[in-house]
Amino acid sequence: LSAHVYHDGTKELPEKFESYAMYEEKEKTWGSSISSFISNLDVEKVVQLSKEDEKEDLIGYLAMKAIAGGGYYGQAYLDRNTNQIIIAHRGTDNLINTFTEGSKSDEKLGTRLLEMVRDLDDDYEIFSGKIPREQFMEAKAFTKKVKRAYKKQFNEEPNIVHTGHSLGAVLAELCAVEDNCKAITFESPGTAPLIKELGSLSYGKFDYEKFDPKKVDITIYNAEPNSINTLHQHLGKVVPLYEESKVQKAYSDDSLFENINTHSIDSLLLRFNQRTGKPEKN
């Protein structure tokens, strides 16, 4: 489902699942774009760069915030066997796959490149150890919408599992921590340093002082160490989709860069047994 969400619901689903709800952030009007741009600025960063007279960094930061923005897409699925709801949060399209698939369709390439540009500021926030605020708030809004729809249909609270790949993994893990539910993610950059910021975005719903990282129900499937899945410390249980004995413990920056081609969700799926659903390590 973490892979399916990249295709806007156009690919066929496994038999036991049905599409329950879709959510795509709407294009903003000029006025709301300015409002969103201002609200998503890291004011401390702007002040710091201004004081240090780091004009190039400041201009780059403001330009990225102005050009990028938005781009959240999520889809909820109903497991007919258990009535469990799985919410899949889409990540940033993989660059390698974008150009490979884009060579077959210029229109598709243009669309996916635009989506990648819209995710740039969110990826930058994660890289800086910050919550991708705009997409996270949209992910929360979608989750709330799904909960309301399920309760209206079944007259009970849903059992929700969050999932996602890359940027989507970050959103899934943050939503799971805030709602105290389960997440299964792929190629996560790590969310441990982002959790401190969660309290300010949850309107008192999350108390960091009482947070116990050992109690989170998060399972992360990662490929060989690369520059994305080693970015930050992880929350939950990390399951390596490779033989750890075959990878040097002290990996180099070169190996992290070379392994980036393993980050794709499509390549990760090949490491699972299609019949049993269990991972098969390479």
Side-chain angles (χ1 to χ4, degrees):
L1 300 181
S2 286
H4 186 268
V5 76
Y6 277 107
H7 300 281
D8 296 1
T10 57
K11 280 202 170 184
E12 189 175 342
L13 278 169
E15 202 169 290
K16 69 174 183 175
F17 295 108
E18 68 177 62
S19 179
Y20 194 74
M22 295 183 189
Y23 183 97
E24 184 166 13
E25 185 181 0
K26 303 299 183 187
E27 290 290 339
K28 294 180 174 62
T29 63
W30 178 242
S32 62
S33 292
I34 293 175
S35 173
S36 175
F37 165 70
I38 293 173
S39 65
N40 282 286
L41 284 178
D42 184 339
V43 178
E44 290 183 13
K45 186 176 186 69
V46 172
V47 172
Q48 178 189 346
L49 291 173
S50 301
K51 284 183 177 179
E52 295 175 357
D53 203 26
E54 297 285 348
K55 291 181 180 177
E56 289 186 5
D57 289 342
L58 177 59
I59 291 171
Y61 173 72
L62 293 176
M64 183 176 291
K65 285 292 183 181
I67 294 172
Y72 174 77
Y73 180 86
Q75 189 162 350
Y77 306 86
L78 176 66
D79 184 336
R80 294 194 193 95
N81 295 346
T82 63
N83 265 15
Q84 186 180 61
I85 290 284
I86 300 95
I87 298 181
H89 307 273
R90 185 164 67 188
T92 305
D93 274 356
N94 180 268
L95 185 61
I96 297 170
N97 284 356
T98 293
F99 282 105
T100 302
E101 295 182 19
S103 62
K104 303 171 187 175
S105 167
D106 290 339
E107 184 180 350
K108 189 175 184 180
L109 173 61
T111 301
R112 295 183 70 180
L113 284 175
L114 178 60
E115 289 170 352
M116 287 175 64
V117 168
R118 293 181 70 187
D119 288 340
L120 278 177
D121 61 332
D122 303 293
D123 294 332
Y124 178 82
E125 297 295 352
I126 295 171
F127 180 81
S128 303
K130 299 279 189 180
I131 288 177
R133 184 170 302 210
E134 189 170 1
Q135 290 224 19
F136 177 55
M137 298 306 282
E138 295 291 341
K140 286 175 55 169
F142 179 43
T143 301
K144 190 174 181 180
K145 175 183 177 183
V146 171
K147 285 180 178 178
R148 282 200 306 262
Y150 186 93
K151 192 169 184 179
K152 183 177 180 181
Q153 182 174 348
F154 297 102
N155 198 31
E156 62 181 15
E157 294 294 333
N159 174 16
I160 288 180
V161 175
H162 292 274
T163 190
H165 163 259
S166 195
L167 165 62
V170 171
L171 299 174
E173 290 172 27
L174 291 173
C175 286
V177 168
E178 185 179 89
D179 284 347
N180 193 28
C181 62
K182 185 181 184 70
I184 299 174
T185 65
F186 304 87
E187 279 293 287
S188 172
T191 52
L194 281 62
I195 297 301
K196 287 183 180 180
E197 195 186 346
L198 195 57
S200 63
L201 299 179
S202 65
Y203 306 105
K205 188 176 179 181
F206 174 80
D207 186 350
Y208 179 72
E209 298 300 322
K210 296 180 180 178
F211 174 63
D212 185 353
K214 294 179 181 177
K215 292 184 178 179
V216 298
D217 191 358
I218 297 174
T219 303
I220 304 154
Y221 293 96
N222 281 347
E224 288 80 0
N226 57 57
S227 53
I228 295 176
N229 66 25
T230 60
L231 188 59
H232 299 304
Q233 183 181 349
H234 289 283
L235 282 175
K237 178 185 177 182
V238 178
V239 179
L241 296 176
Y242 59 92
E243 291 296 341
E244 292 182 90
S245 60
K246 295 180 182 179
V247 178
Q248 291 182 351
K249 295 279 184 183
Y251 36 82
S252 66
D253 289 342
D254 287 342
S255 69
L256 292 181
F257 181 76
E258 289 168 3
N259 286 342
I260 197 65
N261 64 331
T262 64
H263 179 67
S264 162
I265 184 68
D266 292 328
S267 69
L268 286 186
L269 289 180
L270 299 177
R271 305 187 186 206
F272 287 82
N273 184 299
Q274 296 301 305
R275 184 177 61 83
T276 65
K278 295 185 180 297
E280 294 181 333
K281 296 182 179 182
N282 291 342

